[in-house]
Amino acid sequence: MDKFLELNKAQRQAVETTEGPLLVLAGAGAGKTKTITYRILNLIQKGIAPENILAVTFTNKAAKEMGERILKLLGEAPELNRPVSLIGRPFVSTFHGLGAFIIKENFKEAGVKKHFSIYDREDSKRATKEALIKNGYDPKQFEPSKILAIISREKGNFVSVDKYFEFASEDYFGDIVSKVWQDYEIILKKENALDFDDLLLVAAKLLQKEEIRKFYGNKWKYIHIDEYQDTNKVQYQIAEAIAREHQNICAVGDVDQNIYTWRNASIKNILSFEKDYKNSKLVVMEENYRSTKTILEVANRIIEKNKLRMERKLVTKNAVGERVGIFEALTENHEAQFIVEKVKELQKQGVAFSEIAVLYRANFQSRVLEEEFLTGDIPYQVLGTRFFERKEIKDILAFLRFSFNPESISDLKRIINVPPRGIGKTTLLKIVEGKEELLPAGMKIKMNSFRELLRRIKNFASQNPPSKTILFISEEVGLNKNLERTEEGVERIENIKELAVLASRYDKMFLEDGQGKKWEEGVEKLLEDTSLASDQDSDKEEKDGVRLMTVHASKGLEFSYVFITGLEEGLFPHDKDRDENVSEEEAEEERRLFYVAITRAKKKLFLSYAQTRTIFGNRGSNIPSEFILEIPDEYLEHEFLDYTPKRKPLLHIEF
């Protein structure tokens, strides 16, 4: 078929290798979706029934796109000699969709009723909350989302609630999770429901039954697994069970883009493919259709330092392109100003805002960027939650506001149980109605304790700089202790510390009398400005805006112009990379993350770092990230703002 002439040599090899296990290492921008769809077309042209073909990916969007491409190709293949509607369809789905399909066809063996419900994450949180209450725990003290994250992680590792109980029950928090998990499962069964993790776990257990495994092994004789590097233990077992009958499995992935170990994705699945599947074939797709030669050469230089990978090098027939811009900022604000100025330049050249992305390692970095984009009147969209809309930020500011304005009912409602202190809606209603004298003695004690907390906050805020007050509130209220158990919680703590950085701008706004310095003015101005910024944020819903996001969120996306910010040791790579207890796999993930960030860019890449950055309330000097120090000078050009000192950047100083 003439269409196959569109494929390069490696793509064609992957398409034409139809029998036996096949591992396709597809680098960034190498056209893996195109290769999978053409391979499926080739199978159908060779006489394989479409119903015998399975293609699995990770997102509904990717599954939909793949299904549409396959349908389009079939419609353009006249040699099939029949309308598309009569050709039949391959089964294209996410892993969760595949699991649901298998369970529905075997509901009796699965122990569920035919028409079972599927819990989404909100349903699961609700059930977890119910289980917490049933066991006598306060859902606001033990957040359902945290408990659910642990349950999800364990299910993804093929761990049952009983098995978890065996090794976790002696730990205080583990014991709580065990009890809640047990009742969570009871709720699921009572409501004839399965959660997202069950769709995989139950399907995997069904496939352990020989009769069921053989049935699906013969149903889907040809299997395609996209993003194979992101599979966890359960997903691996599902794919292996179906493929065992005929061994016609095509795994497509990229070792260098494995960045989800914290979601249980195991890089070992792709690294051990050739060992797991005897007589397997390997196709390496190295040609990139996205980026310039310069961008790819930089990406190659970075990723070759990793040991846990399969040797390959991205190449392209695209133009050499511009050198990578490198900007040494004086501060994080200076960095943000540089980005805004560059964006304005690109706009004048006719570049759409939506073709520009700004990437950062941690969510808290967005605050300075958002502020500068607002000041520069540049439309933007944050993928994720905007800084001032984040719960922990709203909580801290509400405590501060209410301590100075006890008439703010909305702030009272927000903070009265943050963290949980056993004050219910009935109590709150009486307080709002001015009937506090009717409260039971025990509740009066709790309210007195709460008021004492607010008094301490107000006194501290009056006598200390706003930046110290933010950190004081977080510690005094107990937010730090409440958040530190999960990776999400650690990030929230970082956001609070970033709020303290913002507050430091108001540290010089004080009045001095005979009794010392008073910071009420600074506090009031901080609260005013953050409220206005928040309002401004919520009103700005531009469609054509610069995209701001974490590097994790950028996976699978591409942009003509990409800025990677905060490239300093301790920030990117993250501090966790320095932990001596971190595994080699985890340590190398930071480098893979940088590689993913680089390969999002099509035309031009900008890297930036700051000589000094205020992190966690402390301004410290930084050294450039080891990543940019590894890029040869020939691929770099130094960028300047008009007021940037024209001196030798730190990048070239030997450490």
Side-chain angles (χ1 to χ4, degrees), residues 188-328:
L188 284 170
K189 191 169 184 177
K190 183 180 177 182
E191 297 187 14
N192 187 36
L194 299 174
D195 64 18
F196 278 179
D197 299 301
D198 287 332
L199 295 178
L200 302 178
L201 189 59
V202 175
K205 288 179 177 178
L206 284 169
L207 289 167
Q208 290 179 340
K209 299 181 179 182
E210 192 68 7
E211 186 179 347
I212 295 175
R213 183 193 65 76
K214 284 189 174 183
F215 174 82
Y216 289 105
N218 286 310
K219 178 182 179 67
W220 295 309
K221 298 176 182 178
Y222 295 85
I223 305 164
H224 305 77
I225 309 293
D226 193 16
E227 302 289 4
Y228 195 72
Q229 79 280 351
D230 291 335
T231 53
N232 63 17
K233 187 174 181 179
V234 176
Q235 291 160 338
Y236 171 88
Q237 291 194 15
I238 290 172
E240 188 280 328
I242 298 172
R244 199 182 306 165
E245 200 66 18
H246 295 278
Q247 294 288 295
N248 295 324
I249 179 172
C250 173
V252 183
D254 184 4
V255 177
D256 298 331
Q257 294 191 72
N258 173 261
I259 59 174
Y260 294 120
T261 57
W262 53 279
R263 289 184 184 173
N264 293 321
S266 176
I267 196 173
K268 294 176 183 176
N269 291 346
I270 192 168
L271 290 174
S272 64
F273 183 91
E274 292 174 283
K275 180 182 176 182
D276 295 341
Y277 293 92
K278 306 301 181 185
N279 302 314
S280 61
K281 297 175 183 176
L282 173 67
V283 174
V284 181
M285 290 169 43
E286 297 178 310
E287 185 171 353
N288 175 287
Y289 292 89
R290 176 185 299 158
S291 308
T292 65
K293 283 185 171 68
T294 297
I295 291 170
L296 293 186
E297 190 56 40
V298 169
N300 288 328
R301 293 295 184 99
I302 291 297
I303 202 62
E304 67 184 14
K305 302 285 185 183
N306 274 5
K307 296 177 182 178
L308 292 171
R309 64 187 299 266
M310 296 174 169
E311 194 63 36
R312 59 179 180 73
K313 187 176 181 180
L314 290 177
V315 296
T316 186
K317 294 177 183 176
N318 293 339
V320 173
E322 298 180 65
R323 289 190 290 176
V324 174
I326 183 77
F327 180 69
E328 181 188 76

Side-chain angles (χ1 to χ4, degrees), residues 79-237:
E79 64 273 24
L80 295 175
N81 296 319
R82 57 193 190 278
V84 176
S85 58
L86 300 177
I87 294 175
R89 307 287 171 84
F91 192 97
V92 183
S93 172
T94 62
F95 266 108
H96 291 98
L98 173 63
F101 179 84
I102 292 172
I103 296 167
K104 285 177 180 177
E105 289 201 332
N106 302 274
F107 64 91
K108 290 182 179 178
E109 290 86 347
V112 297
K113 295 179 181 176
K114 186 175 183 179
H115 301 291
F116 63 87
S117 299
I118 298 174
Y119 272 13
D120 62 18
R121 291 302 179 190
E122 288 305 312
D123 293 326
S124 293
K125 285 181 184 178
R126 185 246 326 150
T128 307
K129 183 178 179 180
E130 287 182 23
L132 278 162
I133 294 170
K134 186 177 179 181
N135 283 276
Y137 301 115
D138 191 331
K140 292 183 178 178
Q141 182 179 1
F142 302 98
E143 290 185 35
S145 59
K146 293 179 183 178
I147 303 289
L148 193 60
I150 295 170
I151 294 172
S152 180
R153 180 193 70 202
E154 297 302 325
K155 284 185 176 181
N157 286 325
F158 226 99
V159 175
S160 67
V161 61
D162 294 334
K163 189 175 180 181
Y164 180 81
F165 179 79
E166 289 177 11
F167 65 80
S169 60
E170 294 183 5
D171 174 74
Y172 173 71
F173 191 69
D175 184 56
I176 293 171
V177 174
S178 296
K179 292 174 180 175
V180 171
W181 189 353
Q182 287 172 342
D183 282 308
Y184 173 75
E185 294 297 331
I186 291 172
I187 294 170
L188 284 170
K189 191 169 184 177
K190 183 180 177 182
E191 297 187 14
N192 187 36
L194 299 174
D195 64 18
F196 278 179
D197 299 301
D198 287 332
L199 295 178
L200 302 178
L201 189 59
V202 175
K205 288 179 177 178
L206 284 169
L207 289 167
Q208 290 179 340
K209 299 181 179 182
E210 192 68 7
E211 186 179 347
I212 295 175
R213 183 193 65 76
K214 284 189 174 183
F215 174 82
Y216 289 105
N218 286 310
K219 178 182 179 67
W220 295 309
K221 298 176 182 178
Y222 295 85
I223 305 164
H224 305 77
I225 309 293
D226 193 16
E227 302 289 4
Y228 195 72
Q229 79 280 351
D230 291 335
T231 53
N232 63 17
K233 187 174 181 179
V234 176
Q235 291 160 338
Y236 171 88
Q237 291 194 15

Side-chain angles (χ1 to χ4, degrees), residues 629-641:
L629 290 171
E630 293 167 359
I631 302 172
D633 277 350
E634 62 191 276
Y635 300 115
L636 298 173
E637 61 178 351
H638 291 278
E639 302 277 352
F640 302 94
L641 284 178

